[in-house]
Amino acid sequence: MTNNPLIDYPDLPPFADIRPEHVKPAVEELVAAGRQRIHDVLAARDFSYRALEMALAEEDDRLSKAFGPVGHLNAVAQNEVLREAYNGCLPLLSEYGTEVGQNSALFDAYQTLHDSEEFARLTPAQRKDIDNTLRDFRLSGVALPDRRKRQYMENAKQLSELTTRFENNLLDATQAWKKHVTDVAELDGLPDTALAGTADRAAAEGLEGWLLTLDFPVYFAVMSHATNRALREEMYRAFTTRASDQGPQAGEYDNADVMNEILRLRHEQALLLGFNNYAEESLATKMARDVDEVMTFLNDLARRARPQAEQELQALRAFAAEQGAGELQPWDLGYWSERLREARYDLSDEALRPWFPAEKVIAGMFSVVGTLFGIRFRQRDDVALWHPDVRFYELIDDDGGVRAAFYLDMYARTGKRGGAWMDDARLRRRRLDGSLQTPVAYLTCNFAPPAGGKPGLLTHDEVVTLFHEFGHGLHHMLTEQEVAGISGINGVAWDAVELPSQFLENWCWTEEGLALISGHYETGEPLPKETLEKMLAAKNFQSAMGMMRQLELSLFDMRLHAEYQPGLDIQGVLDEVREQVAVVKPPSFNRFQNGFGHIFAGGYAAGYYSYKWAEVLSSDAYSRFEEEGPFNGETGRDFRAKILARGGSEEPMELFKAFRGREPSVEPLLRHSGIAQEPA
């Protein structure tokens, strides 16, 4: 806590006052205002940086702050009325965005600014923003003839609707499946936390006993701990066939046609812009130069990791056979992996939960980040929220000023999209009146909520997830850029955007970091040293298998978009990739792809490889802390100044070299993953 005076947030949304029936009229009014501002700017013929870029950024910000909270609520507190209001705005916003991107007169205005004497007097960040804007105009089809422009706009509108339909189908399929259990013997092996949570879910629906759902904390608990093999198989089939033509809801929420249409339209858009495929279009704004470079990178990692992954799988099979398990099926892998980890390291993730109460983890995370980057945190209780679990915090900088703020929404619940993510509530930018807008972020997770009278208790994996999303949040909040287009993660190449998030995960594995984020929820007792040693020993348990899974998804994504032709068999591509790199082959009914929201609805299309690409950067960046000390404040502030503060103002490779003093090496990633390295 600090004694700094409180500041007001007059433009933060009063979530309880958002009325779905008012959403579309408000958006229509703001879109009309945006069109009028563009008309006025072009009519005035003043193409200075202030009159052009700053004036239009003002309108964009107004629209973002009006519709952004609606989109956020649709993800974390969805109901049918809100969904309908949100969906009703998507065609309008898509049409407006494409219309602006294809406005030839506006493009010419930006080109005039770029070619003017003023351009040389702009800051490097402002020039980078203008360069990015001109590039994005071209990627929006500004140079297309009118007929093709209209086609591009129609395709963009359809894609916006289809990606939302994909998400809605997946959410509906996830929430439609429930299993009511009245005999606790069926749930043998489930941890107390999971039992208490499923009991609370049953009670909330007026039922006795326990209610199982496909929310990930429940699914993961069953797959890792339930001795009831039939129950594991039932839930595996339900989870891996969501939104597909298979499983208990076969055909009801099927995403197959949606996926095919998304791929077709993306490919058509790429062809309209002069690319050979959507993968080429996607890479036009990324660090990787072309598809061949990405495929070589992924295949090289697969070659290095596969031998160890096969050894890990063989060890798992041998262990399960010793326990009389027989032939392992996919729904057995999680269960026996957890048993093997317990046997090998005398450690289980569930046994660690009492040592990671959410309150202690949050306070410890703030301490870690504060030491590294010179900031403090203050909770505010006078800001409107959308659920009692949500909190609002401010970042207080060294000079005592409020640097940024964020909402933290930790727990899974009905109506909330699965997964974890960071999104911006508002950007840091310099306003037309000269004032500086501080950034605000949304940080969202889906951990098991407090249950059975106990506080929220996290697994260590969930702690890592929280640090990961907070790393994204810091990238957004600690930016020093005042230009909207390159502020925070804006303008950052997508295959570098995971650098700060993966980087921050490392402090979940240091002895000093664990001392700050752990403490028994009942006694406050620190994590015993022997437990810490076991955790560190188990850090890379089945790490090669995990890497091969990520590479499988990355290769599938890239091939899907690079090799697309009409009639492409999505399942066939996935089967081919699995034949090439997968050490574990799923059953034929598995329809993982129908729920692969990252590439069909989440911005990672032809970009899922970014996780591994950025992990090379993050592992190598952290290796400097290994050399200079994990809590070396000088090194931390250097990372803040050269990576976090810079946003999208420079190319990521140049920023990395400024921090590390050289180009990145893959060796730290292999070492941190415990994967044997080849001789030099």
Side-chain angles (χ1 to χ4, degrees), residues 203-217:
E205 298 201 13
L207 301 171
E208 297 289 334
W210 302 264
L211 190 65
L212 303 181
T213 68
L214 295 182
D215 289 336
F216 191 76

Side-chain angles (χ1 to χ4, degrees), residues 118-166:
E118 182 192 6
F119 187 75
R121 298 192 297 270
L122 298 178
T123 66
Q126 290 170 333
R127 293 198 297 269
K128 181 69 160 62
D129 181 42
I130 297 301
D131 286 339
N132 286 354
T133 300
L134 289 169
R135 177 202 65 194
D136 293 343
F137 267 114
R138 297 184 186 100
L139 291 175
S140 295
V142 72
L144 295 175
D146 287 345
R147 182 179 59 81
R148 292 192 171 193
K149 275 187 178 180
R150 289 193 294 273
Q151 184 62 58
Y152 190 96
M153 182 180 293
E154 181 59 32
N155 289 355
K157 188 188 304 184
Q158 290 184 50
L159 278 167
S160 176
E161 295 169 355
L162 286 164
T163 54
T164 299
R165 193 187 311 168
F166 181 98

Side-chain angles (χ1 to χ4, degrees), residues 26 67 240 249 639 654:
F67 188 66
T240 62
Q249 298 156 351
F639 185 85
E654 297 309 310

